[in-house]
Amino acid sequence: MTTRISVRGLWAAFTLFSLVTGPVQSQVVDYVACDHTTTSCQCDPDADVCEFNLQVSYLQTFTRYRVTPEGEIDDLDGYIYTINDSGMIEPFQSDQTCDLPGCTEAATVDGKTFRPYFSFNGHIAGPTLIVTADQTIIVNVKSTLRAHGITIHWHGMFLRNTPWMDGTGYISQCPINPGTSFRYIFRAAPSGTHFYHGHIQGETADGLLGALVIRERDNDDADYFDLPDQHTIVLQDWWRQPFLSMFALQHSIFETFYPQDVSELPQVSRDRYNGSIGPDNTDLASIPFFSGLINGMGRHRDVPFATSRLASFEVQGGNRYRFRLVGAQTVYAFNFSIAGHKLTVIATDSFFIQPVEQVDYIIIHTGEKYDFVLDADQPMGNYRILAETLEIDDSGSPPYASLNNIAEAILHYTGAVTPVGPNYADANSETPTCTPANPCRAFNCPFMDFHESYNTICTRVSDLRLLNPTPADELPTSDTDDDVLQTFLNFGYEGDGIPDSINGRNFQFPPLALHTQSDSFDIDPLLCPSEPYTCGDGCKCLHMLSLPFNRVVRLVLANIGRETHPIHLHGHSFFIVATGYGEYNSTTGFLVRSTNALTCRPDENDFNTVDEEMCTTVRWRTDHKPEIIIDPFTPRKDTVIVPAGGYIVIQFLSDNPGYWLLHCHIEPHLMEGMAMVVNIAQERHSPAPTSLGTCGNFNLSVSEFNEREQFFFDSTGSTSEKLYCNCIDQTELGVAIAFGVLGFLVLVILPSAICAIACYKWRAGKKTKSFATVPLKVKE
């Protein structure tokens, strides 16, 4: 017998072996304790390999679950708990209890919603995983779900030569099916603040998320305490029912979200929900805000402080602390602040920036991460941490009143009264006083400026500068602009065009995982048309941008529309080289029209040829191309807000081969199709391990079905196939033939034989008689 070993298989085995072991030497592995009792899981910085276990379950809020001796959460053994007037957890029924640590803690979320959620190790949000730069990370994900496939995306990781560990469903891998497990292995790079989350449809919104912190190895001279197990803040917006239900409701003809029972048909007399707007009168969301969570805890507006549970972050007066802020929301951007404290922003999306001091508000959209330093220089006490949406009531004049849709937590000074429900309301809730003489500072504004009446100065992402220069081999520069590969992508539309697509192309995920099966499947029929000025009526297809290896790539991220979009590119960071905004009304502060630097017309002077509504092909207007500025200190990110009516120009090197998803990080926008695949250096893709598995469509012909239907094992255990017929099987056929032969013998052969014998005897008798009548002659 000859054994055949493919080059692909050998390369995949070598890649995995090298990733786990590195050079042939002794490896120190830290099997990190990470279960339902730990909200953070920290690896020994001296270890070579850090191994974590994450169990994914579908649980019910306000419920504790029994944990088996093997450490698994038993989702069939739950006990309901509530929050009493002292802010303490107590059983809903006194005789139905589940004591810690033999049970999970009940997820009280916003103190109101009793609904299912996804959990990592029983937590919402999942545990903060803490490692050190360049360690090898192993995460064993075990799904105990009874339905729903999942994948886990490692947001911000580069994953060089291992793009099939990106955790993007139907791009890097097939879903992890219920009852199965999947081992993720990747290098801890780059260092900084990241997070992990589900990446099929809607799981992040329902709790499948957690922070991932990669500590720097050369940051010992920092003048602050860096305690990621204590000072990592994860923001969420939270919904009254599972997000797929909200998504379906959003796309029903009613489009109403009034607080009727979730199973109750809305009253016809009620108006449609028309969404909310921000300070610049641009659209914020088509799903109304319900609640906000910080580290899985919060308070719905209907819930009193006494019967709520909020996250608390402890500091010692007189010290400085590094906080890590993760935007894991689904829809809304948050305006983040801490009462009585100014913040110093020091990093964005894992890259240190020249510090921006005296910040009152950090505006953070879904997918973004910011690090800030807090000086604990206020009197000992408790201070309110607030994350507020940008929604306004536009019925008056600027500055517009907020809708007060918030997430909240507590900053607790050591020695102050322990924060619990009844005293949450006593926390210092001082908000900044913004005056012309002493204006406030907002960091990461998604528009040009606040209206002057707000007395707030904007620091935009384009204003940032890196703290450390980018190495020359990582900087995407070229000698001439002709060497740059430039592509225009429009994420927004004026009018009533098909929403949530890129260049009019609604992204459709392929039926298989590109990284594991593209060699065995022809994806060309699935691809979107590449010709300009097509898809004016919208296209549903596999949108893909293919790029050669190691070239300077420039993407013009345009937004010819009225809603901001946080755009994330998997497997990469990019440089912000130009930014543009639309035109604003000086009286109201509202956006009037999109930027005049871009045009959607094939001929900008031909007003009879229009592609304005869908803007499927955008380009620079003559003499309006912005100056492209890139140097070693140009800001670098992996997720950026593209302003409504404006654009962001990014550059990066196509030096990380693989299929990488580029998409809006607002969950319903991604689900509707605002995404595309960036295919870098197809010929250089690292082959995926063959054990990653396959998925895809299933087709069966009638003839093959008929053939398989007749398949059986005979009495000896050998396989055989029947002749296809609508009759008896082979055994019955043998019996029938035997009876047929017997019948033929009895009914045909036997009568014929009898008849033949009778005839023979008759003829023989007649011949004898005739001889007797003839006289014999006797010879004398």
Side-chain angles (χ1 to χ4, degrees):
M1 177 178 176
T2 301
T3 301
R4 300 178 63 187
I5 302 177
S6 68
V7 174
R8 177 189 177 99
L10 282 173
W11 173 255
F14 173 77
T15 301
L16 273 180
F17 179 79
S18 300
L19 188 61
V20 178
T21 64
V24 180
Q25 60 184 7
S26 176
Q27 295 278 295
V28 178
V29 181
D30 184 5
Y31 300 96
V32 185
C34 200
D35 58 24
H36 69 286
T37 65
T38 52
T39 56
S40 64
C41 309
Q42 186 160 337
C43 181
D44 183 344
D46 293 327
D48 299 298
V49 179
C50 305
E51 185 164 353
F52 304 90
N53 293 320
L54 295 178
Q55 177 185 337
V56 177
S57 306
Y58 199 53
L59 307 176
Q60 187 77 9
T61 59
F62 288 92
T63 305
R64 287 181 177 177
Y65 290 88
R66 192 80 63 188
V67 178
T68 68
E70 295 75 27
E72 290 196 1
I73 298 168
D74 186 354
D75 63 353
L76 299 180
D77 194 4
Y79 303 80
I80 300 177
Y81 277 70
T82 62
I83 306 174
N84 61 28
D85 291 338
S86 298
M88 307 303 292
I89 293 287
E90 65 179 16
F92 186 74
Q93 296 174 298
S94 59
D95 61 340
Q96 297 290 314
T97 62
C98 196
D99 298 327
L100 305 177
C103 297
T104 64
E105 182 56 282
T108 58
V109 288
D110 62 355
K112 180 181 177 70
T113 48
F114 186 61
R115 48 151 290 189
Y117 69 98
F118 288 102
S119 77
F120 283 117
N121 294 353
H123 300 293
I124 176 175
T128 298
L129 307 182
I130 305 169
V131 300
T132 305
D134 298 322
Q135 289 180 314
T136 297
I137 302 175
I138 299 176
V139 183
N140 301 307
V141 176
K142 182 176 182 179
S143 171
T144 59
L145 303 176
R146 300 183 184 276
H148 202 97
I150 59 168
T151 60
I152 309 302
H153 171 53
W154 309 97
H155 187 115
M157 296 293 94
F158 288 163
L159 306 168
R160 290 193 180 276
N161 292 324
T162 58
W164 22 265
M165 283 291 162
D166 187 49
T168 307
Y170 300 103
I171 304 297
S172 62
Q173 68 175 98
C174 297
I176 305 169
N177 288 322
T180 67
S181 62
F182 190 97
R183 168 172 282 194
Y184 289 100
I185 307 179
F186 54 94
R187 190 73 62 201
S191 59
T193 302
H194 308 278
F195 72 116
Y196 58 98
H197 60 86
H199 215 299
I200 296 290
Q201 283 194 344
E203 310 98 326
T204 302
D206 292 334
L208 203 61
L209 56 97
L212 170 63
V213 173
I214 301 178
R215 304 187 67 169
E216 300 84 9
R217 290 191 178 274
D218 55 356
N219 201 31
D220 295 335
D221 59 346
D223 61 348
Y224 48 74
F225 289 100
D226 185 8
L227 307 172
D229 57 322
Q230 302 176 38
H231 297 148
T232 298
I233 300 173
V234 180
L235 304 178
Q236 290 175 258
D237 39 20
W238 184 247
W239 313 99
R240 62 175 180 161
Q241 61 191 108
F243 192 74
L244 285 181
S245 297
M246 296 296 295
F247 186 74
L249 184 59
Q250 177 192 4
H251 293 84
S252 71
I253 191 64
F254 284 102
E255 290 189 359
T256 58
F257 299 92
Y258 294 97
Q260 70 275 351
D261 292 338
V262 295
S263 59
E264 177 185 332
L265 186 68
Q267 298 177 16
V268 177
S269 59
R270 287 176 171 168
D271 295 331
R272 290 175 56 179
Y273 179 76
N274 291 319
S276 56
I277 61 172
D280 57 346
N281 195 35
T282 58
D283 299 332
L284 292 184
S286 56
I287 301 177
F289 185 87
F290 190 74
S291 296
L293 306 180
I294 295 179
N295 290 13
M297 293 181 277
R299 182 179 68 90
H300 187 271
R301 65 172 69 244
D302 294 344
V303 176
F305 278 112
T307 57
S308 64
R309 301 183 75 205
L310 302 181
S312 177
F313 303 89
E314 185 171 357
V315 295
Q316 176 75 50
N319 291 335
R320 305 186 80 218
Y321 296 92
R322 177 181 182 176
F323 278 75
R324 300 167 185 269
L325 185 63
V326 176
Q329 313 93 279
T330 306
V331 174
Y332 284 90
F334 278 127
N335 201 12
F336 177 87
S337 63
I338 300 179
H341 293 75
K342 298 281 189 178
L343 311 177
T344 300
V345 183
I346 62 169
T348 173
D349 292 353
S350 80
F351 295 99
F352 283 109
I353 59 173
Q354 296 177 19
V356 180
E357 300 177 337
Q358 298 294 302
V359 172
D360 297 283
Y361 303 102
I362 298 174
I363 298 174
I364 180 170
H365 219 316
T366 168
E368 293 190 295
K369 296 88 60 187
Y370 289 102
D371 294 26
F372 64 87
V373 171
L374 178 136
D375 286 288
D377 56 2
Q378 297 301 302
M380 183 176 64
N382 293 318
Y383 295 81
R384 192 184 192 198
I385 298 175
L386 191 67
E388 185 173 14
T389 69
L390 297 176
E391 297 168 286
I392 65 164
D393 177 358
D394 64 340
S395 60
S397 58
Y400 301 101
S402 166
L403 296 188
N404 197 34
N405 288 326
I406 63 172
E408 53 195 331
I410 301 294
L411 179 70
H412 170 64
Y413 276 66
T414 303
V417 60
T418 301
V420 292
N423 63 39
Y424 286 152
D426 300 330
N428 186 315
S429 300
E430 173 189 349
T431 58
T433 301
C434 311
T435 66
N438 187 25
C440 293
R441 180 174 294 278
F443 181 92
N444 192 36
C445 293
F447 35 72
M448 175 69 80
D449 282 302
F450 279 95
H451 186 269
E452 62 180 12
S453 62
Y454 284 85
N455 297 314
T456 298
I457 299 172
C458 276
T459 296
R460 295 170 291 273
V461 68
S462 56
D463 300 326
L464 305 181
R465 303 290 285 165
L466 292 180
L467 180 65
N468 305 308
T470 301
D473 60 346
E474 297 180 21
L475 200 64
T477 57
S478 62
D479 294 334
T480 66
D481 213 44
D482 292 337
D483 295 331
V484 176
L485 302 179
Q486 180 171 266
T487 299
F488 290 82
L489 303 173
N490 181 33
F491 293 84
Y493 309 99
E494 301 281 12
D496 295 323
I498 298 175
D500 301 337
S501 55
I502 301 177
N503 289 356
R505 291 150 172 82
N506 285 93
F507 182 78
Q508 299 289 294
F509 281 92
L512 46 76
L514 292 179
H515 266 298
T516 60
Q517 296 170 259
S518 61
D519 291 344
S520 60
F521 185 87
D522 182 12
I523 65 172
D524 289 347
L526 306 178
L527 295 176
C528 294
S530 59
E531 296 79 10
Y533 303 105
T534 56
C535 293
D537 296 325
C539 299
K540 292 184 178 181
C541 45
L542 177 58
H543 196 180
M544 185 177 293
L545 173 64
S546 295
L547 299 171
F549 180 68
N550 207 31
R551 293 287 299 277
V552 175
V553 179
R554 178 181 300 158
L555 299 183
V556 180
L557 310 180
N559 189 352
I560 311 301
R562 302 192 60 82
E563 185 171 359
T564 58
H565 297 289
I567 304 303
H568 172 54
L569 175 59
H570 290 213
H572 294 76
S573 61
F574 46 74
F575 296 81
I576 313 298
V577 299
T579 306
Y581 299 89
E583 181 182 339
Y584 298 87
N585 183 294
S586 60
T587 301
T588 63
F590 289 172
L591 179 69
V592 177
R593 61 180 59 88
S594 295
T595 175
N596 64 355
L598 296 167
T599 180
C600 303
R601 299 175 183 273
D603 182 348
E604 62 187 73
N605 298 313
D606 179 5
F607 291 93
N608 294 318
T609 306
V610 181
D611 185 34
E612 292 280 9
E613 184 174 287
M614 287 299 297
C615 198
T616 62
T617 304
V618 67
R619 59 188 178 86
W620 296 123
R621 195 181 298 273
T622 304
D623 298 329
H624 283 74
K625 179 181 177 180
E627 182 182 5
I628 303 299
I629 300 176
I630 183 168
D631 60 47
F633 296 94
T634 297
R636 191 174 183 180
K637 288 174 64 65
D638 63 51
T639 306
V640 66
I641 301 175
V642 182
Y647 61 84
I648 294 279
V649 183
I650 65 174
Q651 280 189 194
F652 61 92
L653 288 175
S654 58
D655 60 352
N656 192 8
Y659 292 110
W660 304 104
L661 198 64
L662 171 75
H663 65 95
C664 178
H665 218 274
I666 296 175
E667 189 77 11
H669 293 187
L670 170 59
M671 293 168 67
E672 290 179 11
M674 188 170 275
M676 68 185 304
V677 171
V678 178
N679 177 17
I680 295 179
Q682 174 91 41
E683 72 284 355
R684 290 174 175 258
H685 286 193
S686 167
T690 55
S691 58
L692 267 180
T694 60
C695 48
N697 299 326
F698 174 72
N699 294 299
L700 183 67
S701 66
V702 173
S703 60
E704 187 177 0
F705 167 77
N706 291 337
E707 179 183 335
R708 296 301 169 189
E709 189 182 33
Q710 304 306 313
F711 188 84
F712 85 111
F713 290 87
D714 63 20
S715 59
T716 66
S718 300
T719 60
S720 182
E721 293 184 3
K722 308 176 195 175
L723 294 174
Y724 178 72
C725 62
N726 292 316
C727 54
I728 56 180
D729 65 17
Q730 289 184 345
T731 302
E732 294 171 329
L733 181 62
V735 174
I737 292 174
F739 275 103
V741 171
L742 182 61
F744 180 79
L745 292 173
V746 173
L747 299 178
V748 178
I749 301 300
L750 184 59
S752 298
I754 294 172
C755 182
I757 293 171
C759 290
Y760 174 78
K761 288 182 177 181
W762 178 79
R763 291 175 64 88
K766 186 175 181 182
K767 190 173 183 180
T768 303
K769 186 176 182 179
S770 59
F771 285 156
T773 59
V774 177
L776 294 177
K777 293 184 177 180
V778 181
K779 188 174 179 181
E780 295 180 353

